[in-house]
Amino acid sequence: QITLKESGPTLVKPTQTLTLACSFSGFSLTTSTVGVGWIRQPPGKALEWLAVIYWDDDKYYNPSLESRLTITRDTSRSHVVLTMTNMDPMDTATYYCAHTQAYTGGWFDPWGQGTLVTVSS
Amino acid sequence: DIQMDQSPSSVSASVGDIVAITCRASQNIGSWLAWYQQKPGRAPNLLIYAASTLQSGVPSRFSGSGSGTDFTLTISGLQPDDFATYYCQQARSFPRTFGQGTKVEI
């Protein structure tokens, strides 16, 4: 059974850097075609894809946020880290990580429970 | 970026109704489309992938159709547990993009 769980601060100040971790079990990020993605959802709004990292360390970012995002992996500890710099109140959202696959499908399943991050001074 | 336009943004329905939600892509995405269900305060749940393949464990009243640019999620015989928001997502290219969501209300 695949499970994922996000962790990180619930409150950050404007201009600060957000660091979120996604801990997972039930799969390995060293297995061919496996990936972990990050998606966020502002309160009451739609889903927005942020980034993905694959088993071969290939990475893709949302171009609208690419200059602020970094995604890394720690295969030995089964977790993925997302950093977002220069946080703004508009970045207030629930941040999800999710399992995905390359080549056979870029959908996300399953998802972590999400973590709400509020950006406020 | 590939834009995904969902319609309607909301729909009022009753238990037992047939509900259809459409998703239009701004360019040809083949069958690289997924549908998710999201309930308040919960993470999205994958219902359908590859446009028409039902995810394991998802009731058969959910079905997906379409290819290219036009897709439909149909719920045949709405159940109380189905009142939620539904999103489409394209997996043809990066950046991955989602529709704006369709809220199915009583």
Side-chain angles (χ1 to χ4, degrees), chain A residues 25-63:
Chain A
S25 63
F27 67 96
S28 172
L29 247 186
T30 61
T31 301
S32 182
T33 79
V34 169
V36 171
W38 285 93
I39 304 100
R40 72 177 179 179
Q41 184 173 39
K45 295 189 178 181
L47 300 162
E48 179 181 31
W49 176 78
L50 300 177
V52 65
I53 188 166
Y54 289 107
W55 85 103
D56 58 358
D57 207 32
D58 207 5
K59 305 164 188 177
Y60 296 87
Y61 296 98
N62 189 321

Side-chain angles (χ1 to χ4, degrees), chain A residues 41 96 103 106-109 112, chain B residues 32 36 38 43 50 55 87 89:
Chain A
Q41 184 173 39
Y96 298 99
Y103 310 135
W107 18 88
F108 300 98
D109 179 66
Chain B
W32 295 98
Y36 301 89
Q38 186 179 34
Q55 174 69 333
Y87 293 94
Q89 176 232 325

